[in-house]
């Protein structure tokens, strides 16, 4: 199995923050992505939260799914089979859903939309939480096909 390369993490940042900034980045403009993230943290701090990075981490933990459905073709039919989500994929999905819902909103700067979505997520509200709940409901509805997971 291939080994992962060691990653460079700037001072005062974490691996999760760098991963998120890289996902925010569009067209190789990393400084713009870093500014968006930093401005979102400042907006969260201005709204009365003492540790905005903790809010960010808690929001991503709240969005993480535990189950998802995967399509499998068995005997000519396609079944939606509920599967547990591995931790790395949980984080990837939570970041993806958060950014999709943030980018889908209009009429505000990206940092403002991101801060609002993070604050909504820690309160179990918002579009990213709705996406997680929809995926979980789909997995629960297809629980009858769980025995096909071994194929």
């Amino acid at each position: 199995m291939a080994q992962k390369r060691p990653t460079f993490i700037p001072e005062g940042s974490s691996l999760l923050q760098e991963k998120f900034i890289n996902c925010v980045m569009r067209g190789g403009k990393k400084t713009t992505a870093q500014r968006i993230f930093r401005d979102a943290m400042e907006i969260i701090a201005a709204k009365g939260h003492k540790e905005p990075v903790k809010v960010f981490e808690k929001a991503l933990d709240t969005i993480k799914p535990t189950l998802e459905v995967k399509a499998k073709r068995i005997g000519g039919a396609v079944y939606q089979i509920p599967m547990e989500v591995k931790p790395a994929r949980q984080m990837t999905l939570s970041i993806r859903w958060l950014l999709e819902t943030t980018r889908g909103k209009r009429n505000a700067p990206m940092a403002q939309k991101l801060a609002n979505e993070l604050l909504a997520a820690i309160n179990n509200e918002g579009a990213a939480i709705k996406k997680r709940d929809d995926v979980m409901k789909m997995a629960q509805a297809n629980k009858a096909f769980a025995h096909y997971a071994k194929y």
Side-chain angles (χ1 to χ4, degrees):
M1 188 169 179
Q3 289 183 342
K4 284 192 166 190
R5 288 186 293 156
T7 53
F8 172 72
I9 301 172
E11 188 75 24
S13 187
S14 71
L15 189 62
L16 178 60
Q17 290 173 14
E18 289 302 310
K19 170 84 172 148
F20 186 78
I21 288 169
N22 287 340
C23 291
V24 170
M25 181 172 52
R26 287 274 171 102
K29 300 190 173 203
K30 190 160 188 167
T31 54
T32 304
Q34 289 170 332
R35 188 172 62 247
I36 289 169
F37 181 75
R38 187 178 59 246
D39 291 349
M41 294 299 109
E42 288 172 3
I43 291 168
I44 291 171
K47 290 190 177 185
H49 295 274
K50 287 185 168 69
E51 296 183 23
V53 175
K54 296 273 189 217
V55 171
F56 165 71
E57 291 170 358
K58 185 172 185 245
L60 285 181
D61 280 343
T62 306
I63 297 170
K64 282 197 282 192
T66 54
L67 288 174
E68 68 176 340
V69 291
K70 291 201 176 189
K72 282 208 175 170
R73 186 178 174 93
I74 299 168
V78 178
Y79 295 100
Q80 297 289 330
I81 299 174
M83 310 278 265
E84 284 190 25
V85 185
K86 293 180 181 174
R89 181 155 168 79
Q90 285 180 346
M91 194 53 67
T92 302
L93 287 174
S94 65
I95 290 171
R96 183 183 305 158
W97 293 343
L98 179 65
L99 290 176
E100 279 176 7
T101 57
T102 302
R103 288 184 179 127
K105 296 181 180 187
R106 298 283 176 237
N107 302 329
M110 179 66 176
Q112 181 68 47
K113 295 186 291 188
L114 179 59
N116 291 341
E117 195 64 40
L118 287 169
L119 291 172
I122 62 169
N123 295 323
N124 263 340
E125 301 168 351
I129 296 294
K130 184 180 182 324
K131 175 76 173 164
R132 180 205 63 191
D133 291 344
D134 290 346
V135 168
M136 296 292 283
K137 280 181 192 170
M138 180 88 92
Q140 290 296 326
N142 288 299
K143 216 170 19 176
F145 303 120
H147 65 283
Y148 287 129
K150 63 185 174 192
Y151 293 109

